[in-house]
Amino acid sequence: MPLWFTLAVTKAAATLSRLLGRGGGHALPGVIAERLDPRLAGRLAASLPHGVIMVTGTNGKTTTTKLIASILEANGERVLTNSTGSNLKRGITSALISAASLRGRLEATVGLFEVDEASLRRVTGELKPDHIVVLNLFRDQLDRYGELDTTAALIGEGIAATTARLYLNADDPLVASLHRYASSPDLVHYFGVDELPPDAPDVPPTASDSDRCPVCRSRLEFSRTFYGHIGHYACPTCDVVRPTPDVAVTAVDSADATGSRFTVAVDGRPTEVVFPLAGTYNMYNALAAMSLAHGCGVAPAVAAETLAGTVAAFGRVEELTLDGRRLFLLLVKNPVGLTQVLETFVSREAAPHLLFAVSDLDADGRDVSWLWDVPMEALIPSDAVVLTTGIRGADMTLRLHYAGVASEEVEDVPSAVERLVREIPVGGTGYILPTYTAMLAIRKLLAQRTSMQEVWR
Ligand SMILES: [Zn+2]
């Protein structure tokens, strides 16, 4: 089938889908292309002069992809990327189709795609990425992915189908173990954190996911843990040990709710980074982006300067002012993410005001048992003022009760937001922690109450 024909049909479908208002029409062209010409995405991607980059892992894909796109653009690339949430094969195919002319030409110089962990092996064979970044592997929506080892093996299969350069998190044992699938050891790069400040809160290991040796299954020995199972480890039985990263955080000068300042050594040469996204997890996202940038030949100074100008990806950390109160909207979707958010924003505050909005629709993950994996006891001050809402608000209230934290459920989401705002003293700060669909609802609600363009950042 001629390329122009497939492109004309799929582009028409995208337009029609948008006109009918069907959920943005992100995936439809990809679905049709799979029927008409299953190799379309590969044919289009092959024309990108600087190749294809893929970003995968449980947490931070969207943020890291955004960081990498900004860095590459600052370095003169024209970046083609998939939109948030369309990180399955058909979403990537759709992104390529909508960017292509009818003759199949792309303006972009490089393709940058965030890819769902389970989908990676379905796209690497065809799109032949030149670079693959693997951020971390945490328990997330277990009903969909199964065990972490299975997820790692799926990513491994995806890697093995390529000759890509790999950028692996040295501090995540399962991610670092993916070096086995590289087509050559020379293609493996590691990023990691050597030092955090001594006063960083000690996150209890209850949120840990993967503390077994990926090779011999012995329990790994950790000399440091930064969050979850991310840290410095060695296997007492075999020769598995944290690899030495070639891009590493060597010192953290400051870290608070407004971001952090740290030193990154790239092949031993230090660069100062001022990064306006809070949390250790975001430091790792920045580090992953710097690692990839280095592998693509971007000077560390260019990467650092771009990171300093970063704003939060949609829905991850948003801040606004409402009726004289400062509100943070912090998306939570799994135990490690929630642990990090509580650690960063809540754990050191006196009498913080919180609203948990927990739902269990498909996009949230149907299983909310992960709430029990978060060490709420250690992270929520006992004098916190806590409200819960959402479809599973009652489950959250029960979980908090067992953590010794009193909370009140307000069933109706708009009423819960109003109530939170009223509870916060004027000039004070509150935190809204929603799962995905609850976040969309609350964001819409807040947008009606306030001028989004001016106050959202
Ligand atoms: Zn071992």
Side-chain angles (χ1 to χ4, degrees):
M1 195 166 299
L3 185 61
W4 69 266
F5 179 77
T6 314
L7 284 168
V9 170
T10 50
K11 280 171 172 293
T15 307
L16 193 62
S17 164
R18 269 196 302 275
L19 289 175
L20 295 171
R22 295 276 164 79
H26 285 321
L28 185 64
V31 173
I32 295 172
E34 277 169 23
R35 292 287 175 83
L36 293 179
D37 180 357
R39 298 203 330 274
L40 180 67
R43 290 165 74 183
L44 292 174
S47 69
L48 292 162
H50 295 162
V52 168
I53 300 162
M54 291 185 178
V55 179
T56 193
T58 312
N59 290 320
K61 285 189 288 289
T62 303
T63 302
T64 306
T65 301
K66 213 179 150 192
L67 297 176
I68 292 171
S70 305
I71 293 171
L72 294 178
E73 279 163 4
N75 207 47
E77 300 279 356
R78 291 189 302 276
V79 181
L80 166 61
T81 190
N82 50 339
S83 53
T84 303
S86 58
N87 59 14
L88 306 176
K89 186 185 174 199
R90 51 183 182 267
I92 295 166
T93 305
S94 296
L96 282 160
I97 289 169
S98 69
S101 71
L102 276 182
R103 291 162 184 263
R105 294 228 174 87
L106 294 166
E107 288 282 309
T109 54
V110 65
L112 168 63
F113 304 113
E114 65 165 279
V115 185
D116 179 278
E117 304 87 279
S119 297
L120 190 76
R121 74 195 169 105
R122 287 198 284 273
V123 294
T124 54
E126 190 183 337
L127 293 174
K128 302 197 172 40
D130 305 274
H131 308 269
I132 300 175
V133 181
V134 189
L135 298 169
N136 50 58
L137 284 172
F138 286 108
R139 196 161 86 94
D140 188 19
Q141 302 181 10
L142 266 187
D143 38 351
R144 202 164 129 226
Y145 291 150
E147 291 300 320
L148 278 177
D149 290 336
T150 310
T151 308
L154 290 174
I155 294 176
E157 272 181 49
I159 291 170
T162 73
T163 52
R165 276 187 187 280
L166 301 183
Y167 305 84
L168 304 176
N169 186 341
D171 300 344
D172 185 324
L174 205 48
V175 170
S177 78
L178 294 170
H179 73 86
R180 291 176 286 174
Y181 297 96
S183 61
S184 154
D186 299 340
L187 297 173
V188 181
H189 305 271
Y190 294 103
F191 57 90
V193 172
D194 288 346
E195 284 300 331
L196 280 187
D199 66 338
D202 189 25
V203 178
T206 37
S208 184
D209 285 84
S210 144
D211 60 355
R212 295 276 171 180
C213 172
V215 173
C216 75
R217 315 298 307 156
S218 301
R219 195 171 290 281
L220 291 169
E221 285 172 359
F222 281 83
S223 57
R224 310 282 306 272
T225 51
F226 300 134
Y227 71 98
H229 59 268
I230 305 291
H232 297 179
Y233 54 88
C235 177
T237 312
C238 73
D239 60 0
V240 165
V241 64
R242 175 199 184 237
T244 304
D246 37 64
V247 174
V249 170
T250 52
V252 179
D253 303 324
S254 69
D256 60 29
T258 63
S260 47
R261 305 171 71 96
F262 49 91
T263 305
V264 176
V266 177
D267 287 339
R269 283 185 299 278
T271 299
E272 297 304 316
V273 179
V274 179
F275 189 49
L277 302 189
T280 309
Y281 57 116
N282 274 322
M283 198 185 297
Y284 274 95
N285 294 335
L287 202 52
M290 285 193 77
S291 177
L292 182 279
H294 181 51
C296 292
V298 181
V302 171
E305 196 179 315
T306 311
L307 292 174
T310 302
V311 292
F314 164 72
R316 269 54 184 184
V317 176
E318 295 179 290
E319 184 189 344
L320 71 154
T321 311
L322 183 63
D323 295 348
R325 282 84 164 177
R326 189 180 182 205
L327 292 179
F328 283 94
L329 190 57
L330 306 158
L331 174 69
V332 296
K333 56 174 190 163
N334 57 39
V336 170
L338 179 53
T339 301
Q340 282 276 292
V341 158
L342 291 174
E343 179 208 326
T344 306
F345 290 90
V346 174
S347 65
R348 282 168 283 189
E349 251 200 62
H353 288 76
L354 309 176
L355 170 62
F356 288 96
V358 179
S359 289
D360 64 351
L361 301 176
D362 280 336
D364 300 299
R366 305 292 304 195
D367 179 4
V368 295
S369 64
W370 62 265
L371 293 172
W372 294 84
D373 297 343
V374 178
M376 314 266 185
E377 301 76 0
L379 295 171
I380 302 179
S382 56
D383 57 358
V385 177
V386 186
L387 300 171
T388 67
T389 190
I391 300 165
R392 303 299 288 267
D395 295 67
M396 189 65 207
T397 291
L398 182 69
R399 170 66 189 100
L400 289 164
H401 172 75
Y402 278 93
V405 177
S407 70
E408 189 182 330
E409 190 196 356
V410 181
E411 273 186 37
D412 176 53
V413 174
S415 309
V417 173
E418 288 301 323
R419 173 77 184 281
L420 174 76
V421 173
R422 279 206 312 278
E423 296 272 356
I424 303 166
V426 173
T429 300
Y431 303 93
I432 304 177
L433 302 101
T435 58
Y436 189 71
T437 63
M439 180 201 73
L440 296 181
I442 291 172
R443 205 169 185 276
K444 203 169 164 187
L445 194 78
L446 292 171
Q448 291 162 357
R449 289 283 313 270
T450 178
S451 163
M452 269 178 67
Q453 288 76 12
E454 285 171 30
V455 296
W456 294 84
R457 57 159 202 166

